[in-house]
């Protein structure tokens, strides 16, 4: 059996992140439409939406892989394949070890970009040396959310010199940017039907990765983002229609409830009024004396 080529975007944000707004259903739909095999929701320091996306992924023909972008004491770290939130604000090496002990893959995203909580070169080098060259599993050597390619080139040189696998991620915060950069992985002796998250994670650890983040031709890019915009409009129109129907149903229920409550109150008040009138007549009559 020849090697299977798998395409994965390991760095995407959903509405679970404080700085993103799109639901995981829309992201999964976009990933499937553009030909990805997996997309990892890596929200900032929260994992609920990623776990949900991993469960929903097979419905879209995708492999489900949970993950999170966790804030360490030194900067951000991508934790792929974990099902609980790693401890926050701990040293990078400690957090990476926690991830790996639980079967996850620890990837350093957008290194050297201090404005985006990327880990600095000297600090990253110290952790590498202290761990004997095995501080984490991979380096994000292409992040599409950059103004220039300078930091990506630095990350690529760092990873190559220290023999870390390089991965590419879109770091998408909007659905139209999903897959703008992705990682291609060759996995031997596996079919697409039998492909699992563990197969993909093992291949990343083994370095069977190729970075894909070259500039997309304008016509292709236009079609890509136009398709995403159309899917987003359709999604929110459908959700709006469902919301309106639900509100109408709730409104009808409330109207019926309050009408019934009003009738009951009216009957109760009428009954109370008759009783009070009877008592007043009794007090006014000679029989009460």
């Amino acid at each position: 059996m020849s090697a299977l080529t798998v395409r994965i975007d390991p760095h995407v944000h959903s509405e679970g992140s404080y700085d993103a707004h799109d639901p995981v259903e829309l992201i999964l739909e976009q990933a499937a439409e553009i030909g990805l095999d997996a997309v990892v929701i890596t929200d900032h320091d929260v994992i609920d939406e990623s776990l949900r996306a991993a469960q929903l992924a097979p419905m879209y023909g995708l492999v489900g892989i949970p993950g999170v972008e966790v804030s360490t004491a030194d900067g951000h770290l991508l934790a792929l394949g974990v099902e609980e939130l790693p401890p926050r604000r701990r040293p990078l090496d400690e957090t990476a070890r926690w991830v790996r002990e639980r079967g996850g893959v620890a990837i350093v995203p957008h290194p050297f970009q201090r404005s985006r909580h990327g880990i600095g070169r000297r600090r990253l080098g110290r952790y590498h040396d202290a761990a004997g060259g095995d501080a984490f599993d991979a380096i994000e050597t292409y992040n599409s959310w950059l103004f220039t390619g300078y930091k990506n080139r630095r990350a690529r040189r760092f990873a190559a010199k220290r023999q870390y696998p390089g991965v590419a991620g879109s770091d998408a915060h909007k659905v139209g940017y999903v897959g703008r950069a992705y990682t291609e992985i060759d996995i031997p002796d596996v079919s697409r039907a039998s492909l699992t998250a563990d197969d993909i994670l093992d291949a990343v650890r083994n370095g069977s990765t190729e970075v894909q983040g070259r500039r997309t031709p304008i016509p292709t890019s236009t079609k890509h983002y136009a398709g995403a915009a159309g899917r987003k409009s359709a999604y929110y129109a459908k959700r709006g229609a469902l919301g309106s129907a639900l509100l109408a149903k709730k409104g009808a229920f409330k109207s019926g409830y309050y009408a019934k409550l009003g009738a009951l109150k009216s009957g109760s008040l009428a009954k109370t009024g008759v009783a009070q009138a009877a008592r007043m007549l009794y007090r006014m009559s000679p029989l009460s004396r």
Side-chain angles (χ1 to χ4, degrees):
M1 183 183 294
S2 60
L4 176 69
T5 299
V6 176
R7 297 171 180 83
I8 172 176
D9 188 344
H11 191 177
V12 175
H13 296 273
S14 78
E15 62 184 354
S17 285
Y18 66 88
D19 55 355
H21 308 286
D22 291 320
V24 297
E25 291 88 349
L26 192 56
I27 293 170
L28 293 169
E29 185 177 351
Q30 172 72 358
E33 183 67 24
I34 64 176
L36 294 177
D37 297 289
V39 59
V40 187
I41 303 299
T42 51
D43 290 326
H44 293 292
D45 297 318
V46 291
I47 200 171
D48 292 348
E49 288 303 295
S50 185
L51 293 173
R52 193 165 71 84
Q55 291 178 340
L56 293 173
M59 297 173 57
Y60 296 83
L62 303 171
V63 178
I65 305 175
V68 63
E69 185 168 12
V70 62
S71 299
T72 76
D74 303 287
H76 287 173
L77 179 73
L78 294 180
L80 273 56
V82 298
E83 296 186 353
E84 57 182 310
L85 185 65
R88 298 176 61 212
R89 307 298 179 190
R90 303 300 302 164
L92 171 67
D93 59 343
E94 182 180 318
T95 308
R97 186 165 55 250
W98 185 99
V99 171
R100 298 167 85 182
E101 285 174 352
R102 286 157 180 78
V105 169
I107 301 174
V108 178
H110 45 70
F112 320 138
Q113 297 179 58
R114 301 303 294 163
S115 62
R116 297 175 58 202
H117 306 286
I119 300 166
R121 182 183 177 87
R122 291 183 180 178
R123 188 165 296 184
L124 205 58
R126 284 200 298 269
Y127 280 119
H128 166 81
D129 294 339
D134 189 32
F136 22 82
D137 294 300
I139 303 281
E140 187 180 63
T141 58
Y142 195 101
N143 180 292
S144 70
W145 201 35
L146 291 176
F147 293 109
T148 70
Y150 174 65
K151 295 295 175 65
N152 280 335
R153 289 192 295 272
R154 286 187 64 192
R156 188 165 61 247
R157 288 195 296 268
F158 183 95
K161 182 178 180 179
R162 292 161 179 82
Q163 298 184 322
Y164 284 105
V167 302
S170 67
D171 200 358
H173 287 65
K174 294 182 179 180
V175 67
Y177 291 89
V178 172
R180 189 171 181 175
Y182 62 91
T183 304
E184 232 175 40
I185 307 169
D186 287 331
I187 307 177
D189 303 322
V190 66
S191 67
R192 196 167 299 277
S194 63
L195 181 66
T196 67
D198 287 337
D199 292 330
I200 294 174
L201 296 176
D202 285 342
V204 173
R205 292 188 193 96
N206 296 333
S208 304
T209 60
E210 184 175 339
V211 168
Q212 298 292 346
R214 290 182 286 271
R215 187 179 299 277
T216 306
I218 291 176
T220 304
S221 179
T222 301
K223 182 179 179 181
H224 175 80
Y225 297 126
R231 280 185 285 279
K232 186 170 184 176
S233 298
Y235 174 85
Y236 283 109
K238 182 178 179 181
R239 194 163 82 167
L242 290 173
S244 298
L246 180 61
L247 287 172
K249 185 176 180 181
K250 288 174 67 176
F253 174 80
K254 284 187 176 182
S255 297
Y257 171 78
Y258 286 120
K260 184 177 180 180
L261 184 64
L264 289 173
K265 284 188 174 181
S266 297
S268 176
L269 289 171
K271 186 176 180 180
T272 301
V274 170
Q276 287 179 343
R279 284 196 295 272
M280 288 178 63
L281 289 172
Y282 175 75
R283 285 196 296 268
M284 293 171 63
S285 71
L287 295 175
S288 64
R289 296 185 178 91

